[in-house]
Amino acid sequence: MKAMRALRAVALAAAALLPWVPATGQAQEWRGWNIHAADYPNGRGLDRFGELVMQRTNNRIRMRTYHSAQLGQQDEAIQQMRLGSIDFGNFNLSPFNNLAPSTNVVTLPFLFRNVAHSHAAIDGIAGAEIAKDLEAIGIIALAWYDGGARSVYSTRPIRTPADMRGLKIRVQTSDLWIDLMRALGANPTPLPFGEVFTSLQSGVIDAAENNYPSYESTRHFEVARYYTTTEHSNVPEVLAVSQQRWRRASEAERNILRDAARESATLQRQLWAERERVSRQRVEAAGVTVIELTDRSPWSALMEPVYAKYAATPRLSGMVQAIRALP
Ligand code: BDP
């Protein structure tokens, strides 16, 4: 009897310890989050990440990505990553703006000159700072995906900042985005990505903003027929794992995860460039009016208050300067 009780106590103690034992031999299931469809560049990137990790750990880490927001919308998924109930995912950096200060810098309007400039920043100084802030909230950044140039689309034509006045526009959940749209005279409403289509349809909002691939893949173009190339933000995306998993991973597993993430980002960026072209062609073929802006200075001139508020600390304004100084 005594022996049995002792054995049980040992078994219970071992079970309590289990989550903290590095599971070197044991197979693990990791659940991944993706807001987009599986065939979207980000979905393909996540699937590649999963395949590489499985191959290189001899299936010790089994990766399964749940595409098309099956595990919830972005804000919920971020909370689940922090709690460790989602193990990895690809996120836009804007929903972190209120949680991780340095993500505001790369959301700032008209900061990047072009795609190469945004890659140089996020693969270097900006990425290093953001990774620190994300780690502080329980998220380990492994690589950076292309977030594309975001532009305004609406149920009515937008040509100048004056056309933005009173426009009910959907934004991601972020104070910076609210202030950015207010600085243009618009009336911003934070909404989950998955609610944009019906909100446009019912008139709850008149407009939203996103890159060509998201505008096309969500079919928002069917209800908001005018796309104005404001290209006001080029906020990058992160491929991340939960700190809970990371803590328990061995050094060899961490290296596998890091390398696989970088390789998946290379794929995502290649597919991204192609998808931007294809998506633009698709929406034009569907009769969307693309309003091309050649001079964005009347827009960027209104962004001073946003910089003043969101790049206010020496650390964040230093990041802005360092990014601007990049060749
Ligand atoms: C897309 C991003 C996605 C965001 C979405 C949005 O890839 O992560 O959730 O925009 O606007 O471009 O919510």
Side-chain angles (χ1 to χ4, degrees):
M1 247 349 241
K2 230 179 175 182
M4 280 287 281
R5 231 181 286 136
L7 254 180
R8 242 187 103 218
V10 170
L12 280 176
L17 278 175
L18 247 181
W20 303 101
V21 174
T24 34
Q26 231 169 19
Q28 304 171 17
E29 293 276 351
W30 286 29
R31 296 184 341 139
W33 179 83
N34 175 24
I35 202 162
H36 298 288
D39 68 352
Y40 198 83
N42 306 34
R44 304 262 305 272
L46 282 163
D47 283 342
R48 172 67 60 88
F49 174 59
E51 282 155 25
L52 292 174
V53 171
M54 287 198 280
Q55 266 167 28
R56 294 173 187 173
T57 63
N58 295 320
N59 282 326
R60 210 167 54 240
I61 302 182
R62 299 216 191 95
M63 309 281 276
R64 167 147 187 220
T65 302
Y66 293 80
H67 298 286
S68 305
Q70 285 174 70
L71 301 181
Q73 291 295 317
Q74 188 129 227
D75 293 334
E76 300 146 26
I78 288 172
Q79 290 313 320
Q80 290 196 54
M81 279 276 288
R82 299 181 67 187
L83 296 169
S85 53
I86 289 179
D87 304 304
F88 65 99
N90 154 234
F91 302 89
N92 188 270
L93 287 174
S94 292
F96 291 104
N97 288 168
N98 298 355
L99 305 167
S102 58
T103 61
N104 285 290
V105 171
V106 291
T107 307
L108 283 168
F110 306 104
L111 175 67
F112 299 120
R113 294 186 298 272
N114 49 41
V115 175
H117 186 205
S118 75
H119 288 174
I122 198 71
D123 292 337
I125 145 131
E129 291 301 312
I130 291 169
K132 278 188 225 159
D133 285 2
L134 292 180
E135 186 164 359
I137 59 161
I139 287 174
I140 306 295
L142 296 181
W144 310 103
Y145 281 10
D146 210 328
R150 298 176 76 103
S151 288
V152 171
Y153 50 89
S154 173
T155 51
R156 57 180 201 244
I158 305 292
R159 294 197 170 81
T160 65
D163 297 329
M164 298 289 289
R165 192 146 292 282
L167 192 77
K168 287 179 283 170
I169 186 164
R170 177 268 174 172
V171 291
Q172 298 193 71
T173 316
S174 143
D175 292 345
L176 188 157
W177 273 106
I178 292 176
D179 285 324
L180 189 162
M181 287 302 168
R182 286 198 181 135
L184 292 169
N187 184 1
T189 309
L191 279 177
F193 192 43
E195 286 175 25
V196 177
F197 186 92
T198 47
S199 304
L200 282 166
Q201 213 173 24
S202 64
V204 167
I205 51 170
D206 317 304
E209 55 76 53
N210 222 312
N211 47 56
Y212 276 118
S214 281
Y215 176 54
E216 177 259 317
S217 65
T218 52
R219 311 200 71 78
H220 294 173
F221 68 90
E222 290 177 356
V223 276
R225 308 286 290 156
Y226 299 91
Y227 191 91
T228 306
T229 62
T230 47
E231 299 185 355
H232 50 271
S233 180
N234 219 308
V235 53
E237 311 222 341
V238 64
L239 172 54
V241 301
S242 80
Q243 195 170 47
Q244 312 243 7
R245 286 292 192 188
W246 190 251
R247 274 200 194 123
R248 286 178 251 146
S250 66
E251 206 37 59
E253 286 168 341
R254 289 181 179 183
N255 287 335
I256 290 173
L257 288 160
R258 272 195 210 98
D259 290 346
R262 278 195 211 110
E263 288 170 49
S264 95
T266 305
L267 174 70
Q268 190 270 350
R269 288 178 181 185
Q270 280 162 5
L271 295 173
W272 184 260
E274 176 57 17
R275 179 65 183 252
E276 277 189 324
R277 270 192 297 279
V278 169
S279 292
R280 176 171 181 157
Q281 277 165 11
R282 285 186 188 154
V283 299
E284 285 187 327
V288 160
T289 304
V290 172
I291 299 164
E292 278 289 354
L293 296 184
T294 43
D295 179 14
R296 296 185 179 82
S297 55
W299 298 75
S300 57
L302 297 170
M303 295 296 116
E304 198 42 56
V306 184
Y307 276 76
K309 184 163 171 188
Y310 293 94
T313 65
R315 177 184 179 222
L316 302 187
S317 64
M319 279 177 71
V320 171
Q321 274 167 24
I323 291 172
R324 284 200 171 131
L326 286 169

